[in-house]
Amino acid sequence: MISEFGTLPDGTPVREVTLKKGALEASILTYGAIIRDLKIDGQSVVLGFEDLQSYLDHSPYFGVIAGRCANRIAHGNMVVDGKTYQLDRNNGAHHLHGGAAGFSHRNWDLEQSDKASVLLKIVSEDTDMGYPGRVEALVRYTLTGAGALRVKITATTDQTTPVNLTQHSYFNLDGSKDILDHNLEIAAETYLPVDETLIPTGEIRRVEWTPFDFREGRKLRHKTGEDAVQYDHNFCLAAAPRQTAEFAAALEDRDGERRMEVWTTEPGLQLYDAARLDIPVPGLSGRAYGAHAGLCLEAQRWPDSVNQKEFTPVLLQPSQTYSHVTEFRFS
């Protein structure tokens, strides 16, 4: 079902597409390619808003597709094919999620839709937010018969440019005030330490004997005597993108009654625990969203890869097609 969700300040209508299959129901917006709501048996498991103005004024990337390059690029500086580029600096001194007018803040074109899937398209012209090259990107959201939401993203370019897209939903599987008692498992042996501005230091550190060890599953709430970490870090799943989606993470609600697995082709998974979340307007069904109201599991290339030679490849060539598949599997 397609309906109008609101109108942007320039008069452009934003449409909402409702998908349904089995126990899953998803509401997708053309603005930001946002997953506005995702329900399992009628229970919302993501954070979102009921109106467009709240997204324009208050959204911390709720449910968006972030790009052209997700996560942070140090000082917005990069060198591509020997030429230096200055990107939009929208996160203090740094570039975040494609800039102030990145893919998450644009209205995508609705290309196709049916009862269980929707295809959206965006075109980013040369010099957009400082990036070289014209990029065309497609995202298809599909509800599968196996109880999953599949996100498939492709992109092409006419010049060498970094492309790194991610789905940025905040998950809370039981509607509790916070997710600190959710149990999280991440299939990563290493993670990327960051500086005080959340830029990776360049070190690739083992998770063993640290609060970043989620290999066996653990609650987000810190144990007594453990360092209090605010998670906004990349976990290293692989050295490069994979050909097929592999298990990356699992999240269970506090009672262990609902489980979500993340399977992805991407080599990194950014865990953001929303410790700084403080939304001044109501969310879905009037809920208040404060610190730790949800968490993000963002499948992507490693942050600042364009500036870190030891990190994952992130440059897309005109002869290539960027491809990304992430599935959120529920049980």
Side-chain angles (χ1 to χ4, degrees):
M1 181 178 71
I2 301 174
S3 58
E4 188 167 317
F5 187 70
T7 305
L8 294 171
D10 66 359
T12 303
V14 172
R15 288 185 282 180
E16 180 175 41
V17 182
T18 302
L19 312 177
K20 187 167 177 55
K21 189 155 192 174
L24 294 183
E25 182 176 331
S27 299
I28 310 297
L29 301 182
T30 53
Y31 179 74
I34 286 170
I35 298 175
R36 189 185 72 82
D37 199 0
L38 178 62
K39 295 178 179 177
I40 295 99
D41 293 322
Q43 167 74 49
S44 290
V45 295
V46 296
L47 308 190
F49 294 117
E50 302 284 6
D51 63 281
L52 180 60
Q53 197 61 46
S54 292
Y55 280 102
L56 299 180
D57 294 342
H58 303 293
S59 177
Y61 299 97
F62 279 166
V64 304
I65 294 292
R68 149 183 337 190
C69 199
N71 218 310
R72 291 170 178 85
I73 295 177
H75 305 290
N77 291 330
M78 65 180 192
V79 178
V80 177
D81 290 342
K83 184 177 179 180
T84 300
Y85 293 89
Q86 178 61 61
L87 306 178
D88 180 49
R89 287 185 284 193
N90 62 317
N91 185 237
H94 307 305
H95 177 81
L96 176 66
H97 292 328
F103 290 6
S104 56
H105 292 74
R106 300 262 303 278
N107 205 37
W108 294 51
D109 294 326
L110 177 56
E111 298 288 291
Q112 301 171 2
S113 69
D114 56 34
K115 290 182 179 179
S117 72
V118 60
L119 179 66
L120 302 171
K121 177 182 178 180
I122 194 168
V123 176
S124 175
E125 299 292 350
D126 183 32
T127 74
D128 185 10
M129 294 290 102
Y131 287 98
R134 182 181 191 270
V135 169
E136 293 188 10
L138 293 164
V139 59
R140 183 182 293 277
Y141 290 112
T142 304
L143 300 182
T144 75
L149 171 61
R150 178 186 298 130
V151 185
K152 182 176 181 180
I153 310 171
T154 61
T156 56
T157 181
D158 63 358
Q159 294 183 48
T160 304
T161 192
V163 173
N164 178 23
L165 303 177
T166 191
Q167 216 302 313
H168 201 289
S169 284
Y170 290 64
F171 293 97
N172 182 320
L173 299 186
D174 58 14
S176 51
K177 180 181 178 182
D178 61 57
I179 44 76
L180 293 176
D181 290 314
H182 278 49
N183 195 73
L184 177 63
E185 175 186 351
I186 301 177
E189 302 282 340
T190 55
Y191 76 101
L192 301 181
V194 297
D195 66 17
E196 65 277 2
T197 64
L198 301 176
I199 296 295
T201 62
E203 180 186 2
I204 302 171
R205 186 180 297 174
R206 291 192 61 80
V207 301
E208 191 173 16
W209 304 114
T210 76
F212 296 87
D213 192 351
F214 289 93
R215 292 174 296 175
E216 301 298 323
R218 52 167 288 174
K219 293 187 184 299
L220 271 294
R221 190 181 299 280
H222 295 293
K223 302 171 185 175
T224 302
E226 188 177 65
D227 290 342
V229 175
Q230 291 187 2
Y231 295 105
D232 198 351
H233 297 76
N234 177 82
F235 287 75
C236 307
L237 305 174
R242 285 81 64 92
Q243 292 297 311
T244 58
E246 298 183 22
F247 175 79
L251 183 68
E252 292 186 355
D253 68 11
R254 54 187 169 177
D255 297 323
E257 295 181 354
R258 178 167 287 125
R259 175 181 173 91
M260 180 185 77
E261 293 185 356
V262 182
W263 290 65
T264 187
T265 55
E266 294 304 285
L269 190 74
Q270 185 85 6
L271 167 62
Y272 174 48
D273 66 3
R276 300 178 293 277
L277 199 65
D278 184 16
I279 304 299
V281 297
L284 297 177
S285 301
R287 287 187 57 206
Y289 296 147
H292 304 291
L295 65 80
C296 301
L297 296 168
E298 308 160 44
Q300 57 189 266
R301 315 292 158 91
W302 300 3
D304 200 34
S305 282
V306 72
N307 293 315
Q308 308 252 13
K309 293 181 179 179
E310 301 302 316
F311 287 7
T312 54
V314 75
L315 293 179
L316 183 66
Q317 309 290 339
S319 61
Q320 300 171 326
T321 297
Y322 169 91
S323 180
H324 169 153
V325 175
T326 295
E327 290 189 1
F328 302 102
R329 302 179 180 179
F330 296 92
S331 60

